[in-house]
C-alpha cells in the first residue's frame, strides 16, 4: 500500500509510512509531533481507505491518501486509488459485497417489495392546519430494478397524497427494497 501526501504544492507518493513521515518532517510549517506521527502510523496500518486530512492551522490542512498506484502519473490519472476487494495484499480473502447503489441499479426483472419512509402532509382536524407526519409505505410491485421499484412507488404516492409531501432519495436510508423473485 502506497501513500500520497500533499501540502499546497508539496506532494509525494511514498511506499511506506517512514518515507511519509520523512516527507512531513521536511516541511517545517506542519509541526510534526509524536501524537501526529502515531496517528499517521495507525492510519497506515488500518483497513480504512478514506483520505485523512490533518489541520496545520485554521483553514490550512495536509492530506494523506492510501493508494495502490505505483507512480505519481498513475495516481493522477486515478488508475489505482483503491484496491479491488479480493485482490492485492490488503484485500485477499475478502468477498466483493455489492453496495446499495450498485444493487439499486442492477437490472433484474421480477417482483419487488419496497419500503419508503416519507414526510406526508396531513390536516390536523382540531386546528385546520397542515403538518408533516413521518409515514411508512410498503408495496409490492413488478419492476426491472430497485430504482424502477422506487419510481413506481413514488409515482403511485404522488397521485394519492398531498402534492406538498416530501419523498426521500432512493439512495438514502429511507428507502429499502427486496427482490422477491421472477414474475410469471
Amino acid at each position: 500500500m502506497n501513500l500520497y501526501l500533499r501540502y499546497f504544492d508539496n506532494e509525494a507518493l511514498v511506499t511506506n509510512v517512514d518515507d511519509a513521515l520523512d516527507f512531513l518532517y521536511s516541511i517545517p510549517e506542519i509541526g510534526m509531533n509524536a501524537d501526529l506521527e502515531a496517528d499517521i502510523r495507525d492510519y497506515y496500518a488500518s483497513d480504512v481507505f478514506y483520505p485523512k486530512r490533518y489541520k496545520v492551522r485554521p483553514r490550512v490542512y495536509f492530506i494523506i491518501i492510501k493508494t495502490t498506484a505505483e507512480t505519481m502519473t498513475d495516481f493522477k490519472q486515478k488508475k489505482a486509488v483503491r484496491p479491488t476487494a479480493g485482490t492485492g495484499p490488503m484485500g485477499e480473502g475478502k468477498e466483493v459485497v455489492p453496495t446499495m447503489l450498485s444493487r439499486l441499479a442492477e437490472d433484474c426483472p421480477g417482483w419487488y417489495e419496497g419500503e419508503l419512509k416519507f414526510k406526508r402532509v396531513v390536516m390536523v382536524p382540531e386546528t385546520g392546519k397542515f403538518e408533516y407526519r413521518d409515514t411508512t409505505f410498503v408495496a409490492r410491485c413488478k419492476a426491472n430494478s430497485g430504482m424502477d421499484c422506487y419510481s413506481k412507488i413514488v409515482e403511485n404516492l404522488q397521485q394519492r397524497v398531498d402534492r406538498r409531501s416530501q419523498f426521500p432519495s432512493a439512495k438514502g436510508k429511507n428507502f429499502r427494497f427486496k427482490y422477491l423473485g421472477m414474475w410469471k
Side-chain angles (χ1 to χ4, degrees):
M1 183 62 49
N2 297 333
L3 292 174
Y4 169 79
L5 299 99
R6 188 177 78 213
Y7 178 71
F8 288 106
D9 291 338
N10 301 321
E11 62 183 359
L13 184 67
V14 297
T15 57
N16 59 50
V17 72
D18 293 323
D19 290 344
L21 293 172
D22 290 342
F23 171 76
L24 294 171
Y25 275 114
S26 72
I27 303 171
E29 298 99 42
I30 290 179
M32 287 292 293
N33 58 38
D35 292 335
L36 189 56
E37 182 177 332
D39 193 52
I40 292 169
R41 286 185 187 278
D42 289 342
Y43 171 69
Y44 183 76
S46 72
D47 288 338
V48 174
F49 286 98
Y50 60 83
K52 283 283 272 199
R53 182 174 77 159
Y54 293 94
K55 190 173 195 171
V56 175
R57 60 183 184 273
R59 297 188 305 270
V60 176
Y61 300 88
F62 72 88
I63 62 165
I64 301 176
I65 301 172
K66 285 185 181 179
T67 181
T68 57
E70 296 296 322
T71 65
M72 187 67 79
T73 305
D74 287 347
F75 179 78
K76 294 284 182 164
Q77 293 176 353
K78 297 181 175 136
K79 289 186 179 175
V81 175
R82 175 183 276 187
T84 312
T87 62
M90 297 294 282
E92 288 178 358
K94 293 183 181 176
E95 291 183 23
V96 176
V97 179
T99 63
M100 176 62 176
L101 291 178
S102 65
R103 284 186 39 238
L104 192 62
E106 185 178 303
D107 192 31
C108 188
W111 283 98
Y112 285 83
E113 180 177 273
E115 179 181 319
L116 184 69
K117 295 178 185 171
F118 69 103
K119 301 280 186 189
R120 183 177 186 175
V121 174
V122 293
M123 187 177 79
V124 179
E126 296 83 34
T127 63
K129 294 184 178 180
F130 293 90
E131 70 178 16
Y132 287 103
R133 286 212 183 128
D134 289 334
T135 306
T136 301
F137 182 79
V138 180
R140 291 183 178 173
C141 63
K142 286 182 180 180
N144 293 317
S145 66
M147 189 65 194
D148 189 31
C149 173
Y150 170 81
S151 299
K152 287 183 178 189
I153 290 172
V154 169
E155 184 180 313
N156 180 37
L157 287 171
Q158 285 176 335
Q159 296 171 3
R160 289 170 171 71
V161 297
D162 191 294
R163 63 178 177 77
R164 295 172 290 181
S165 297
Q166 298 175 353
F167 299 102
S169 166
K171 300 173 187 174
K173 64 182 180 183
N174 290 324
F175 174 67
R176 293 187 315 197
F177 67 94
K178 182 172 39 173
Y179 180 70
L180 301 174
M182 189 65 178
W183 58 53
K184 293 184 181 182

